[in-house]
Amino acid sequence: MFTSRAEYRLLLRQDNADSRLCEIGREIGLLPERNYKMFLNKQRRIEAELMRLQVTRAGTETLAQLLRRPEISYRELPGADFTLGEEIANEVEILLKYAGYINRQEAEVRKLISLDTKQIPTNFDYATVPSLRNEARQKLTKIRPATIGQASRISGVSPADISILMVWLKRFLASDQNKDCPAGISN
């Protein structure tokens, strides 16, 4: 898979593959204990350096604040730890410089995961959703996904289609509940 084609490419970087996959590899027995210990050591060193940069000051700013500037690299920081190694220094720099973007993508992933719990009623008629693109309407009608998460993974169904679908599902569910109550009073 090309990361440039991935929706959450900041989270799927090549340089953080070990932090995403080592735990899984260990759990299923593919990662030797020696390699896992090396991974844990690397993670501890990264976390320790991040903490040190958050509390160490250079004038009125912390080293972390200085490193977030685009024109400053880790090796140019006053008080940079040159014993860390290039891989750890690069990881620390990326984590600090792109923290806002990474946090935003992690929130999007959590939202996407929560969409897998939002059920689509089996009797929902996609033809009643006027703003859906024709391709999305056709694919949703043909595939009949059980959840919003499944619908979002269908090729040809855009994030805008999912947003529209969610609005119409709310309306559908509200009107469906009101059918059982006299005079449209919901429970």
Side-chain angles (χ1 to χ4, degrees), residues 35-115:
N35 293 45
Y36 184 68
K37 286 181 180 176
M38 288 174 23
F39 160 72
L40 289 178
N41 182 45
K42 176 186 169 190
Q43 292 304 108
R44 278 192 292 273
R45 293 179 70 196
I46 289 170
E47 289 171 19
E49 184 61 7
L50 286 170
M51 290 300 296
R52 186 184 78 83
L53 294 177
Q54 295 289 348
V55 298
T56 306
R57 293 195 162 279
T60 60
E61 296 181 300
T62 66
L63 293 180
Q65 289 170 323
L66 288 175
L67 188 54
R68 284 187 185 104
R69 295 180 182 173
E71 70 273 5
I72 295 181
S73 71
Y74 180 83
R75 298 294 178 195
E76 296 167 339
L77 275 179
D81 183 354
F82 293 102
T83 65
L84 281 180
E86 196 66 32
E87 186 179 6
I88 293 174
N90 285 340
E91 184 75 18
V92 166
E93 185 171 342
I94 289 169
L95 288 172
L96 282 173
K97 285 189 184 286
Y98 297 100
Y101 300 109
I102 291 170
N103 291 339
R104 188 177 316 143
Q105 280 197 352
E106 287 171 342
E108 289 175 20
V109 168
R110 284 190 299 275
K111 180 181 176 187
L112 187 63
I113 290 170
S114 76
L115 293 180

